[in-house]
Amino acid sequence: MARISSRRDFLRKTAALTGGAVAASAAAAPLSVPPSAQEPGRPIPEAMYGMPSKYEAHVARRRSDVLKNRQNWSDWSMTPLQHQPGIITPNGLVFERHHAGTPDIDPAKHRLAIHGMVKQPLAFAMDDLVRYPSVSRFHFHECSGNGLTDWLKPASTTVQQTHGLLSGVLWTGVPAATLLEEAGIDPRGRWALFEGADAAAHARSIRMEKVLDDAIIAYAMNGERLRPENGYPVRLVLPGWEGNTSVKWLRRIKVSDEPWHLRSETARYTDPMPEGKWRQFSMVMECKSVITSPSGGQQLKGPGFYEIAGLAWSGAGRIRAVDVSVDGGRNWREAMVEEPIMDKCLTRFKAGWDWNGAPAVLMSRALDSTGYVQPAVQEIQKARAIAGFVQHHNGIQPWSVNAKGEVRNAIGQA
Amino acid sequence: MRSARRKLIFVLITSALWGCAEMGGRMAAKSSTGIPLGSTGPHAVQPLPDRPRFGQPMSEAELAAWNIDIRTPDGRGLPAGQGSVAEGRKVYEAKCVACHGADAKGGPMYGTMVGGIGSFTTNTRVLTPGSMYPYAPILFDYIRRAMPLDRPQTLSADEVYAVSAYLLNLNGLVSADAVMDAARLAQVQMPNRNGFLLDDRPDTRAQRCMTSCK
């Protein structure tokens, strides 16, 4: 019950931040009849895949403008969160991270093999995979490297660059457990290797406990088959875990009694720790939130009402609450958290704000169903070493607003 | 009021009957993972197989071309074959140098693959196979599955052993006359062997302070 925020709650929480003030608007110009109402529109084509309005062309995935890779195959391209209303990312905007480019795989020729410590090795064709009873689940998907350019000082301008290795997707597929049970898991089989059919043959060792709990062998996203850059024709989805463990272009599952300790789980995707150590198999993406509006690179139109809006998520469960501060973290108010609030899924929060025109620093802080509170970077620094390309950044993101209404990344400044 | 009560009684009776049907095994329409396979409700259910099976049986031999993973701590999965540091240098200069540079010191696309040992306790951690990999067979696994970028999974086992030997030698971990094979690669002691801790998060203790927090 406590999760359901009523309109009255929203008004109360809004009033708390605005002081109840409502700015007066300028008078509107007289309206004329637009051309769109005086001539027929585009004819209906026989068949086509619909695309966004030409006026939305600026809403696109972009590669990082901070780390310039000197090649075009192992890199990432980020979701424009500042333009995303709601909790679902359109398929053409779901972030990309590949290790050797995007393969173009013929589903008729693709096979998924299960072998190793199983009773009977099996191969599955795509047209057989889709015959199994399916599941569809909403989950966030986040790269472990999301935010790695912006730990101690601002490097990125927009929320697309600071947090855009994050997307919200409705995945559809077969529970991995269904297929593994068909092959017959040896009781000693405690780990499984998931491997892609891409040119990096990207692979990860996954605990069987997670595989049998909620892993999905997914062939669809947001109501259509996977996009090539997101794993077409089939991929693994491990809800709440770092993105790269959800191996794309999945071709092979091998069961074993021990993990493999591959490059992708030793030299990469590990966390620098004090005294020269590294933390390994840190899979869960911990509770995090970010304000997407107003956010870096945006311009406020003068004092008055603004809705502070953002996203919160946790790989450990559901979002319980989100707090918002407009004074750099000295004082906080609970924001309205918008239904639906789902397990390991993007969740929307909103809070009204009456900007008085003075410099301000906006922050959000999420709490999840385990009681975990999203930390500031200083809290994370007490436990880990922030040196080099550091993964698993779930620190609080501050945005500064100056007297001109310019919004800037203020990580490490507030 | 009366009709509401009648409706309730109807629901109770039908659900009780339904419960019996379930206990009688008519609801075998669930897979062993709990996926409902049939419709639910107090009406006739089509008998369904309790578990669809669409996997095509195959043998490990038929999977051999895909079975490329190495369990790196003990080297399980390393194939027959061998390669020397000198042979590795030749392969490297033919197929790797364009991206990784002379002597693996970094090239137009990627940074250095040598050095960095001892750097992890400084502010600048230099990640190379020599400094970072806890087990030498990671070299074989990764080179075979992903390298060279333009032609992965095309090197022979001998070539992969040779390039592994060459990179280990450039990192000062084997001698210039070393020859690597399954047994010898698994025996190379890597400096970062004990450098890893298992995930012990949550490791932060942030509090939900609401007023006058700083």
Side-chain angles (χ1 to χ4, degrees), chain A residues 70-71 73 111 113 115-116 120-124 128 131-133 175 177-178 181-182 193 195 199-201 203 251-252 254 256-263 266-268 270 272-273 275-284 286 321 323 328-332 334 365 367 372-375 379-380 383-385 387 414, chain B residues 31-33 35-37 51-60 63 65-73 76 107-111 120-125 127-128 131-135 138 141-142 145-147 149 152-153 192 194-214:
Chain A
R70 289 170 289 176
Q71 41 74 31
W73 293 273
R111 292 292 179 276
H115 73 127
Q120 172 61 60
L122 295 173
F124 297 88
D128 287 332
R131 294 174 67 196
Y132 285 91
T178 302
E181 282 182 8
E182 185 173 330
L193 182 88
E195 181 183 79
R251 76 166 188 184
R252 188 165 71 106
K254 185 178 188 178
S256 178
D257 53 349
E258 296 282 343
W260 281 256
H261 297 273
L262 305 176
R263 177 181 180 272
T266 54
R268 294 294 182 274
T270 50
M273 298 295 285
E275 295 168 13
K277 299 286 189 188
W278 300 86
R279 178 188 274 146
Q280 193 183 15
F281 296 121
S282 35
M283 305 297 212
V284 172
E286 293 186 294
D323 303 323
R330 274 177 292 283
N331 297 290
W332 297 80
E334 189 172 342
R365 176 182 68 192
L367 287 73
Y372 177 92
V373 179
Q374 183 187 0
E379 282 294 318
I380 301 174
R384 308 176 210 167
Chain B
S31 84
S32 53
T33 52
I35 305 156
L37 297 177
R51 188 198 286 241
R53 290 178 171 275
F54 304 126
Q56 303 154 320
M58 63 188 313
S59 67
E60 288 285 347
L63 269 156
W66 287 16
N67 193 16
I68 59 171
D69 59 275
I70 310 301
R71 211 165 72 174
T72 67
R76 185 193 289 185
M109 279 166 67
Y110 296 102
F120 295 169
T121 50
T122 72
N123 280 334
T124 310
R125 299 189 183 199
L127 278 59
T128 71
S131 67
M132 195 60 178
Y133 290 6
Y135 312 110
I138 296 174
D141 178 274
Y142 186 67
R145 73 172 58 246
M147 290 293 132
L149 182 74
Q153 296 187 46
N192 203 30
N194 299 314
F196 291 88
L197 317 164
L198 283 179
D199 186 16
D200 58 350
R201 297 172 303 158
D203 58 358
T204 56
R205 289 177 183 76
Q207 299 295 312
R208 193 186 186 191
C209 169
M210 297 304 283
T211 52
S212 306
C213 302
K214 301 193 207 175

